[in-house]
Amino acid sequence: MNERTKILLDENDIPKTWFNIVPVLPHPPLPPLHPATHQPVGPADLAPLFCDEILAQEMSAAPEVEIPEPVRDIYRSWRPTPLYRARRLEKVLDTPAHIYYKYEGVSPAGSHKPNTAVAQAYYNKKAGIRRLATETGAGQWGSALALAGALFDIEVKVYMVRVSYDQKPYRRHLMETWGAKVVPSPSPETASGRKVLAEHPDSPGSLGLAISEAVEEAASRADTKYALGSVLNHVLLHQTVIGLETIKQFAVGGEGPDVLIACCGGGSNFGGFTFPFVPRKLAGDKLRIIAAEPSACPTLTKGVYAYDFGDMAQLSPLLKMYTLGHDFMPPGIHAGGLRYHGDSPLVSQLVHEGIVEAVAYAQRPIFAAARMFAQAEGILPAPECAHAIRAAIDEALHCKENGQKKVIAFCLSGHGHFDLTVYDRYLSGDIQDLAFSQDDLQRAMANLPQVNG
Amino acid sequence: MNERTKILLDENDIPKTWFNIVPVLPHPPLPPLHPATHQPVGPADLAPLFCDEILAQEMSAAPEVEIPEPVRDIYRSWRPTPLYRARRLEKVLDTPAHIYYKYEGVSPAGSHKPNTAVAQAYYNKKAGIRRLATETGAGQWGSALALAGALFDIEVKVYMVRVSYDQKPYRRHLMETWGAKVVPSPSPETASGRKVLAEHPDSPGSLGLAISEAVEEAASRADTKYALGSVLNHVLLHQTVIGLETIKQFAVGGEGPDVLIACCGGGSNFGGFTFPFVPRKLAGDKLRIIAAEPSACPTLTKGVYAYDFGDMAQLSPLLKMYTLGHDFMPPGIHAGGLRYHGDSPLVSQLVHEGIVEAVAYAQRPIFAAARMFAQAEGILPAPECAHAIRAAIDEALHCKENGQKKVIAFCLSGHGHFDLTVYDRYLSGDIQDLAFSQDDLQRAMANLPQVNG
């Protein structure tokens, strides 16, 4: 048995390849469809947005993809990340379960997002691209791409959802310190933004709209490509470095997980952490894999599995995924990174095929879990991860009731240093358990594209 | 030669003892004096403020002090901290020098301060103390003690300098999330605070005054002791875990430092990083040891070496140290942790005896260095550490001019996640190089206690 607080690996143990789940899936994934023709999109359709190597990865069915040495060199600055045994939390819960967490908040941007941002910046730099456009909600993804832009000397333009732009100035200053240009979305700089501003000058924005703006800019400028921080296959591919390290760390620690948990918005930390474990589950291992999402934006637990647009302005290809409808506007919950109408097609397929379970939590129980974690383990979690912590605590309490000594592992995908005003509101009793509107959901569902028949 | 980005140690390599510099000094340190009698203080004088084991360490001349196992257990959550080779910064500077930095920002509180906060909370808990009072300027120390209080179930009361309380709400929310009670200083809760409020209701406060308030509360309540985050011998003792790890890491890496640099306010990260290297310097090694401070609060470079009070209200013992005068009010620079009129007596003695050099920098050059570092290395530094970065960059540029391949190592004592509004001001051109007032300095010097003859 491992007696340590954390299991570390040497930086030469950083994986040399990313894990591709596509060839492992029981059924081949359904292709993205062209938004107008509803025919499967080919590389040529997406070439205005992505450089060749990223497009090849997006479509790849190879079992693994080599991590370029310059990307591994940057990874060395914070990877391998620690796998912690949460001994003090176990003690507080008085549970026989063993709780582990893989901590991605040690990256300079404070989350798992740089794992793909660095890779995307590298491939674009190699392809001669000098500029990247992207969107950010809570700011974790924008920070990660700004960091990667500084490291590879690429200009970064970030459309930041208006409400976050106003409420999270620290995130904006961080991006600007690294050299990125940040504008609030909706912005007057794109047709998509101008259209919304004309109708709703005070619009708080949404991730779906910010994506439209960034995509529009990339599609209309020859020197600029688009970068996405979640949802797509190549993004989740890059994130599998998390799960691959975790497998090695459990091997060092001498025990393996019975339950794997990660929060799920677009699916990037969830996929990155859990995908490398899927083959053993498909081979008969009794591993449970749980995606934790907000009950106010319950894509996996209350959405439908259907083709839908990834963005509000219907510029993106149609993706087969769990969705609440591309024009569903989620309530203003404080886990901005989980506030997205859709989900990764790969994660959606795993849920649809019964390989992954999904649970949803309201805001107050997740902040109660986050504070308990901070007081026991020290680390202040991002509100997104608080969903995974809640699920892990509930599993551990279940083990206590049943006297089960399970091994529970979750991904702590980022710290909450830029979310402290929300913790203050929680401590002041000023956080509500938001319900989402069934009417809005019905309306959004009615607007799903016709391809779903 | 070490080809790695960072040199890590196993958590079982966390030192088992702290290093005490006292028996190594060429001359014995001069004792603290009673503020009224000017006689050396004994344990009985300080017993209202500190528990026995901490007092014993404050007075100790033993070469080393054992680190209790429960303290090492908490250290395991983030220690040993990484020693980074700043390869990308070296490349940007095009210097033949090798630059290393020991990164203490990986602690949950984001700085080196928990190294002593955890130890102090442990000893007080063991002594049956249920409450600790302290002060905080920039908030790093208060955060660290709040964390330690959560981990050892001790109530923590923090007097936070008013200007920081207003300007750094995130730091306050962090302390409160861990469970501490935070009040702005000057406060109506103490005689020292009420006196200042009566004369200056809008006083921005100062570290010297906040210390007076915390000391007063501890001295007047039987259930409460005082905790200090810098200056005193036991605090610097606990911080030597930084330098001890660094020595082991250089041994692994295969080369050793020619120049050691840390920023210096009260002296805790400076002493912690450099003291364990002092014996080799005294034994004839050509190592240079440099303390970097702000030119607007230039204690070591422009102060006098004299007995002075540690606090404004003259409640503390007199310490022999470099001082600008206990009623000197430093200008509102953005490195709040370096905004203190005095300095550690041990660091002061090393400067006085010519073993340590001191340099001072203005605000704009230190923020230019901090941003260059962030863009090259990724990590966003606290403004305090930016002084050390500036000194390291200047040394590296000097090496470039002279073709010298020196090894430069500095302590990156914390991250700047809670200092981003200041970075924003720097990027907007809104940061001035503040001079301090020679008149104020003369006036403060005239008020030094009479013991100095």
Side-chain angles (χ1 to χ4, degrees):
Chain A
M1 201 190 112
N2 169 54
E3 293 295 340
R4 306 201 166 179
T5 296
K6 54 192 181 316
I7 304 172
L8 293 177
L9 299 173
D10 187 89
E11 66 187 56
N12 292 325
D13 289 324
I14 294 170
K16 295 193 167 57
T17 54
W18 291 301
F19 169 82
N20 190 0
I21 199 170
V22 169
V24 172
L25 293 171
H27 305 94
L30 294 171
L33 303 182
H34 191 283
T37 65
H38 294 188
Q39 294 303 306
V41 295
D45 297 307
L46 296 171
L49 299 185
F50 301 108
C51 66
D52 290 347
E53 284 193 85
I54 287 179
L55 275 178
Q57 292 179 359
E58 184 62 26
M59 314 279 178
S60 171
E64 53 188 32
V65 175
E66 190 184 337
I67 307 179
E69 215 32 62
V71 173
R72 290 184 82 233
D73 264 357
I74 304 283
Y75 280 178
R76 287 168 191 267
S77 290
W78 69 91
R79 305 208 70 88
T81 60
L83 179 68
Y84 277 97
R85 170 84 183 272
R87 292 184 191 275
R88 292 188 295 268
L89 180 62
E90 290 170 16
K91 206 170 161 190
V92 169
L93 297 172
D94 189 24
T95 176
H98 290 185
I99 306 175
Y100 290 85
Y101 55 98
K102 176 74 167 166
Y103 185 39
E104 290 290 309
V106 291
S107 83
S111 79
H112 65 297
K113 294 290 188 188
N115 296 332
T116 182
V118 167
Q120 293 187 42
Y122 166 76
Y123 290 120
N124 277 289
K125 179 79 178 183
K126 198 177 155 202
I129 304 302
R130 304 183 62 87
R131 247 178 126 257
L132 288 171
T134 197
E135 69 289 327
T136 199
Q140 288 190 341
W141 168 242
S143 305
L145 198 68
L147 166 69
L151 297 175
F152 284 104
D153 195 21
I154 286 186
E155 205 181 315
V156 172
K157 167 82 164 285
V158 182
Y159 289 90
M160 187 172 189
V161 176
R162 175 96 233 178
V163 62
S164 294
Y165 185 91
D166 292 336
Q167 287 177 0
K168 298 201 167 187
Y170 280 40
R171 276 282 177 199
R172 173 160 54 92
H173 303 330
L174 182 62
M175 292 185 257
E176 289 167 345
T177 300
W178 278 320
K181 191 183 171 201
V182 186
V183 294
S185 165
S187 82
E189 302 195 18
T190 66
S192 317
R194 285 189 295 271
K195 186 177 166 210
V196 173
L197 284 176
E199 289 172 33
H200 307 285
D202 297 327
S203 167
S206 74
L207 204 50
L209 174 59
I211 292 174
S212 300
E213 292 207 84
V215 165
E216 184 184 326
E217 173 163 340
S220 61
R221 283 185 62 154
D223 65 344
T224 303
K225 295 287 181 193
Y226 172 62
L228 189 69
S230 196
V231 179
L232 296 183
N233 295 10
H234 69 276
V235 179
L236 275 66
L237 174 80
H238 300 155
Q239 292 293 356
T240 58
V241 67
I242 305 172
L244 291 167
E245 284 179 7
T246 307
I247 287 175
K248 282 194 198 184
Q249 286 165 310
F250 271 118
V252 170
E255 60 183 359
D258 300 303
V259 186
L260 284 179
I261 302 168
C263 67
C264 195
S268 84
N269 99 87
F270 178 82
F273 181 57
T274 66
F275 283 2
F277 288 88
V278 168
R280 64 178 67 178
K281 180 170 171 82
L282 294 177
D285 192 302
K286 275 188 193 147
L287 183 65
R288 289 176 58 210
I289 305 178
I290 303 173
E293 66 180 9
S295 54
C297 188
T299 315
L300 296 174
T301 50
K302 300 225 172 145
V304 295
Y305 187 55
Y307 268 108
D308 197 6
F309 296 99
D311 72 323
M312 194 170 219
Q314 310 185 8
L315 298 175
S316 78
L318 300 173
L319 302 173
K320 181 80 173 185
M321 61 183 176
Y322 280 94
T323 178
L324 299 166
H326 59 271
D327 51 9
F328 176 76
M329 184 71 83
I333 55 166
H334 297 291
L338 307 185
R339 197 170 161 267
Y340 181 58
H341 71 274
D343 220 313
S344 148
L346 293 174
V347 172
S348 296
Q349 184 174 346
L350 288 168
V351 172
H352 185 66
E353 300 197 0
I355 298 162
V356 165
E357 305 165 43
V359 290
Y361 292 105
Q363 291 202 102
R364 281 185 295 192
I366 69 108
F367 277 104
R371 195 187 191 204
M372 176 187 275
F373 181 84
Q375 292 190 323
E377 293 293 313
I379 298 169
L380 183 86
E384 288 79 8
C385 317
H387 293 76
I389 298 173
R390 178 77 261 167
I393 288 176
D394 287 357
E395 286 293 325
L397 291 174
H398 193 74
C399 286
K400 183 183 175 181
E401 281 171 27
N402 299 291
Q404 291 171 302
K405 202 176 163 178
K406 286 191 186 169
V407 175
I408 301 163
F410 68 91
C411 184
L412 188 67
S413 62
H415 63 62
H417 297 173
F418 304 115
D419 304 286
L420 275 159
T421 49
V422 185
Y423 277 91
D424 183 47
R425 289 184 59 182
Y426 171 71
L427 295 178
S428 313
D430 189 23
I431 294 280
Q432 276 80 45
D433 290 344
L434 298 173
F436 71 106
S437 155
Q438 288 286 356
D439 285 353
D440 285 357
L441 181 63
Q442 292 308 324
R443 205 172 306 123
M445 290 294 188
N447 289 339
L448 287 181
Q450 290 301 320
V451 66
N452 296 298
Chain B
M1 202 193 110
N2 169 54
E3 293 295 339
R4 303 195 172 187
T5 298
K6 55 193 181 314
I7 304 172
L8 293 178
L9 298 173
D10 187 89
E11 67 186 57
N12 292 324
D13 288 325
I14 295 170
K16 294 193 168 57
T17 55
W18 290 301
F19 169 82
N20 190 359
I21 199 170
V22 170
V24 172
L25 293 170
H27 305 93
L30 294 171
L33 303 181
H34 191 282
T37 65
H38 293 187
Q39 295 302 306
V41 296
D45 297 307
L46 296 172
L49 299 185
F50 301 108
C51 68
D52 290 348
E53 285 193 86
I54 287 178
L55 276 177
Q57 291 179 359
E58 184 62 25
M59 315 278 180
S60 171
E64 54 189 31
V65 175
E66 190 184 337
I67 306 179
E69 219 27 66
V71 173
R72 289 184 82 234
D73 264 356
I74 304 284
Y75 280 179
R76 288 169 191 267
S77 290
W78 69 91
R79 306 209 68 85
T81 60
L83 179 68
Y84 277 96
R85 171 85 182 273
R87 292 184 193 273
R88 291 187 297 266
L89 180 63
E90 290 170 16
K91 205 169 160 191
V92 170
L93 297 172
D94 188 24
T95 176
H98 290 186
I99 305 174
Y100 290 84
Y101 56 99
K102 176 75 167 165
Y103 184 39
E104 290 289 310
V106 291
S107 82
S111 79
H112 66 296
K113 295 289 188 188
N115 296 332
T116 182
V118 167
Q120 293 187 45
Y122 166 76
Y123 290 120
N124 277 289
K125 178 80 176 182
K126 197 178 156 201
I129 304 303
R130 303 184 62 89
R131 244 177 128 261
L132 288 171
T134 197
E135 70 289 328
T136 199
Q140 288 190 339
W141 168 242
S143 306
L145 199 67
L147 166 68
L151 297 175
F152 285 104
D153 195 22
I154 288 185
E155 203 181 316
V156 171
K157 167 83 165 282
V158 182
Y159 289 91
M160 187 172 189
V161 176
R162 175 95 233 178
V163 61
S164 294
Y165 185 91
D166 293 335
Q167 286 177 359
K168 297 199 166 187
Y170 280 40
R171 276 280 179 202
R172 172 159 54 88
H173 303 329
L174 183 62
M175 293 185 257
E176 289 166 347
T177 299
W178 278 320
K181 189 181 172 204
V182 186
V183 294
S185 165
S187 83
E189 303 195 19
T190 67
S192 315
R194 286 189 294 272
K195 186 177 165 210
V196 173
L197 284 176
E199 289 173 35
H200 307 286
D202 297 327
S203 167
S206 73
L207 205 50
L209 174 59
I211 294 174
S212 300
E213 292 205 84
V215 165
E216 186 185 323
E217 173 164 338
S220 61
R221 284 186 63 155
D223 65 343
T224 303
K225 295 286 180 194
Y226 172 64
L228 189 69
S230 195
V231 179
L232 296 182
N233 296 9
H234 69 275
V235 179
L236 274 66
L237 174 79
H238 300 155
Q239 292 293 356
T240 58
V241 67
I242 306 172
L244 291 168
E245 285 179 6
T246 308
I247 287 174
K248 281 194 199 181
Q249 286 166 309
F250 271 120
V252 170
E255 61 183 359
D258 300 302
V259 186
L260 284 178
I261 302 168
C263 67
C264 195
S268 84
N269 99 86
F270 179 81
F273 181 58
T274 66
F275 282 4
F277 289 89
V278 168
R280 64 179 64 179
K281 181 171 171 82
L282 294 176
D285 192 303
K286 275 186 193 149
L287 183 65
R288 289 175 59 210
I289 305 179
I290 303 174
E293 65 179 11
S295 54
C297 188
T299 315
L300 296 172
T301 50
K302 299 227 171 141
V304 295
Y305 187 54
Y307 269 108
D308 196 5
F309 296 99
D311 72 323
M312 195 171 219
Q314 309 186 7
L315 298 175
S316 79
L318 299 172
L319 303 173
K320 182 77 172 187
M321 60 182 178
Y322 280 95
T323 178
L324 299 166
H326 60 270
D327 51 9
F328 176 76
M329 186 69 86
I333 56 167
H334 298 290
L338 307 184
R339 198 170 159 265
Y340 181 60
H341 70 275
D343 220 313
S344 149
L346 293 173
V347 172
S348 296
Q349 184 174 345
L350 288 168
V351 171
H352 186 66
E353 299 196 1
I355 297 163
V356 165
E357 307 165 41
V359 290
Y361 292 105
Q363 293 202 101
R364 281 184 296 192
I366 70 110
F367 277 104
R371 192 185 192 207
M372 177 188 274
F373 182 84
Q375 292 190 322
E377 294 293 313
I379 298 168
L380 183 87
E384 288 79 6
C385 318
H387 293 77
I389 298 172
R390 179 78 263 166
I393 288 176
D394 287 356
E395 286 293 324
L397 292 174
H398 193 74
C399 286
K400 182 183 176 182
E401 279 170 29
N402 299 290
Q404 290 171 303
K405 201 175 163 179
K406 284 191 187 170
V407 175
I408 301 163
F410 68 91
C411 184
L412 188 66
S413 61
H415 62 60
H417 298 173
F418 304 116
D419 304 287
L420 276 160
T421 48
V422 185
Y423 277 91
D424 183 47
R425 290 184 58 181
Y426 171 71
L427 294 178
S428 314
D430 190 25
I431 294 280
Q432 275 79 44
D433 290 345
L434 298 173
F436 70 106
S437 154
Q438 288 286 353
D439 285 353
D440 285 355
L441 181 64
Q442 292 307 323
R443 207 173 302 120
M445 290 296 187
N447 289 340
L448 287 182
Q450 291 299 319
V451 66
N452 296 298

